[in-house]
């Protein structure tokens, strides 16, 4: 079964003014759309990948060529990215996720560490909040379209939050102000979705 571009879970202008309609349209319909198309090419060229889920593929990524790594990561990362944002997400974390954030040092510390990690990611990449093997939260970053689910991730774990710090994600609104974008992004975090992912991890 071929991988397909999933639709956005909200309207293109739903995250304004944090993320503009123009950015969202270009990001989803052009950048994200390219990843499943190229990923399908890589899968078609390797019989052992036929029928595997994207998570299965990421779990064996160290054995696969750059075409599959880059596009498989880009496909999963963007689908995750859209889902952990929302115009009407809860404004506060709750339940087990809130307890984990408190254990980390509080929401302000989590945000500051995440923003610092994202701003400091050289070139293109992603900033993440993951649940590690001990059940604790950890802030990480990855280059390009890598993510913490990959079998060769330097800091593996289950993504709870993630932000795209490739320039195409913010440049039309924020120009080269990546720190400003990171700071504003918290206004559209869907804490309900993040909590569900934490509970399921």
């Amino acid at each position: 079964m071929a991988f397909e571009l999933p639709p956005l879970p909200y309207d293109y202008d739903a995250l304004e003014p944090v993320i503009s309609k123009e950015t969202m349209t270009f990001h989803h319909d052009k950048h994200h759309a390219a990843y499943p198309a190229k990923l399908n090419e890589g899968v078609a060229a390797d019989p052992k990948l036929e029928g595997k889920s994207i998570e299965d593929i990421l779990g064996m990524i160290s054995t696969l060529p750059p075409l599959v790594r880059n596009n498989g990561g880009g496909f999963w990362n963007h689908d995750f990215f859209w889902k952990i944002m929302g115009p009407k997400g809860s404004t506060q974390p709750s339940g087990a996720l809130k307890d984990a954030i408190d254990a980390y040092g509080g929401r302000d510390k989590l945000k500051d560490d995440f923003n610092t990690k994202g701003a400091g990611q050289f070139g293109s990449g992603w900033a993440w909040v993951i649940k590690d093997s001990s059940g604790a939260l950890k802030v990480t970053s990855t280059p390009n379209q890598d993510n913490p689910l990959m079998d060769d991730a330097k800091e593996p774990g289950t993504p709870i939050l993630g932000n795209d710090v490739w320039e195409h994600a913010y440049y039309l609104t924020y120009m080269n102000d990546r720190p400003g974008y990171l700071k504003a992004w918290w206004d559209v975090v869907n804490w309900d979705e993040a909590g569900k992912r934490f509970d399921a991890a």
Side-chain angles (χ1 to χ4, degrees):
M1 184 178 70
F3 293 102
E4 298 179 350
L5 176 69
L8 282 176
Y10 34 71
D11 293 335
Y12 289 99
D13 62 355
L15 305 185
E16 290 189 330
V18 176
I19 301 177
S20 70
K21 179 180 179 179
E22 184 180 15
T23 294
M24 187 65 75
T25 302
F26 189 71
H27 197 172
H28 177 268
D29 293 1
K30 300 298 184 182
H31 286 280
H32 191 184
Y35 294 120
K38 292 292 186 181
L39 174 60
N40 287 329
E41 291 180 15
V43 169
D46 190 341
K48 73 175 179 291
L49 299 181
E50 187 65 36
K52 289 191 178 297
S53 69
I54 185 59
E55 290 79 13
D56 288 339
I57 291 172
L58 296 176
M60 57 188 294
I61 209 72
S62 63
T63 67
L64 301 174
L67 177 67
V68 176
R69 182 187 195 96
N70 295 334
N71 292 286
F75 174 70
W76 190 94
N77 292 353
H78 284 84
D79 186 45
F80 172 82
F81 184 52
W82 311 132
K83 290 174 179 175
I84 53 87
M85 298 188 292
K88 297 179 180 178
S90 60
T91 57
Q92 300 288 337
S94 60
L97 177 58
K98 181 182 183 303
D99 292 342
I101 292 172
D102 289 344
Y104 182 89
R107 187 153 63 120
D108 287 344
K109 175 174 170 50
L110 184 75
K111 290 167 65 174
D112 287 346
D113 290 352
F114 183 92
N115 292 351
T116 298
K117 186 72 75 170
Q121 173 59 43
F122 181 75
S124 301
W126 291 74
W128 305 96
V129 176
I130 64 172
K131 184 177 184 180
D132 68 16
S133 59
S134 73
L137 293 178
K138 187 174 184 179
V139 174
T140 71
S141 65
T142 55
N144 303 316
Q145 293 296 349
D146 286 6
N147 68 46
L149 295 176
M150 293 180 170
D151 65 327
D152 57 358
K154 292 181 179 178
E155 296 179 285
T158 301
I160 306 302
L161 294 173
N163 196 352
D164 187 349
V165 296
W166 284 64
E167 283 191 343
H168 65 241
Y170 61 87
Y171 201 83
L172 292 177
T173 299
Y174 300 91
M175 302 299 284
N176 64 341
D177 184 16
R178 187 191 286 184
Y181 159 67
L182 285 159
K183 182 178 180 181
W185 177 78
W186 291 95
D187 289 341
V188 293
V189 166
N190 183 343
W191 287 107
D192 290 339
E193 179 66 22
K196 292 175 184 176
R197 289 176 181 270
F198 183 85
D199 291 343

